Amino acid sequence: MRKILLLLLFPAILFSSLGSAAPYLRNQARPVEQVVFGEVESVRYITQQEMRASERDGWKTLLGGVIGGLVGSQFGSGAGREVATAVGAVTGASVAHHRQSRQIMVQSQLVELLIQTEDGRLIDVIQDVDLQMLFQRGDPIRILYFHDGVRVDKMF
């Protein structure tokens, strides 16, 4: 019984100890590779919808397996109890997985900016909408180039 529970709980312990990258925040210092100045030529707001698998299914499947294993361990004795525990764990995980594996709709608000730079080039950038920084035609802006992307900000 203990071996089965340890095998079921090991992935949860392993993945909970791994760190995750923090999202970029506007007030976070980051090295900028290039800054280009320009003016907004056009603004278009876009809604993007994307289907994603529910990110919480793994935990529900794991919990179903643990509960199934605990219920299964109540039946039989000796080797029969170990088999009942294993069957209960597999059945519980399977039921939880099939009941909870759903896709969810994620909707993102984006803004597409067509920008004329000071040297006459046209650059099109699509980024997340920031409600504290809404763009209009004619706004002076700066384009910040990072090693992993681009961000457009208003000049104040």
Side-chain angles (χ1 to χ4, degrees):
M1 170 70 177
R2 288 183 184 169
K3 291 179 186 177
I4 292 172
L5 284 177
L6 284 176
L7 287 175
L8 290 173
L9 292 176
F10 179 72
I13 294 168
L14 176 66
F15 291 119
S16 68
S17 66
L18 297 176
S20 61
Y24 168 69
L25 302 173
R26 183 168 296 284
N27 61 354
Q28 179 182 26
R30 293 179 57 190
V32 176
E33 293 181 359
Q34 181 183 10
V35 179
V36 175
F37 298 95
E39 186 176 288
V40 175
E41 286 294 313
S42 69
V43 179
R44 184 172 71 132
Y45 290 94
I46 305 167
T47 300
Q48 177 184 359
Q49 294 181 344
E50 180 181 352
M51 293 295 291
R52 291 188 188 164
S54 176
E55 298 173 3
R56 300 176 186 232
D57 288 345
W59 291 105
K60 293 175 184 175
T61 302
L62 178 64
L63 183 60
V66 170
I67 291 171
L70 291 173
V71 170
S73 70
Q74 304 302 313
F75 300 99
S77 62
R81 178 174 282 177
E82 291 176 3
V83 170
T85 301
V87 168
V90 170
T91 302
S94 177
V95 168
H97 177 74
H98 290 296
R99 279 184 59 91
Q100 300 299 324
S101 61
R102 297 190 180 129
Q103 291 193 341
I104 56 174
M105 179 69 71
V106 176
Q107 187 167 321
S108 303
Q109 298 296 324
L110 305 172
V111 61
E112 179 180 21
L113 302 168
L114 182 61
I115 300 162
Q116 178 144 18
T117 64
E118 288 180 337
D119 63 0
R121 293 181 297 145
L122 286 176
I123 298 176
D124 191 59
V125 177
I126 299 174
Q127 66 185 26
D128 291 336
V129 171
D130 181 350
L131 295 177
Q132 296 177 350
M133 187 174 298
L134 299 177
F135 296 94
Q136 295 179 9
R137 179 179 165 86
D139 283 344
I141 55 87
R142 62 185 181 170
I143 305 170
L144 305 172
Y145 289 90
F146 303 100
H147 75 281
D148 61 347
V150 175
R151 178 79 190 172
V152 176
D153 286 331
K154 279 185 172 182
M155 298 280 296
F156 291 107

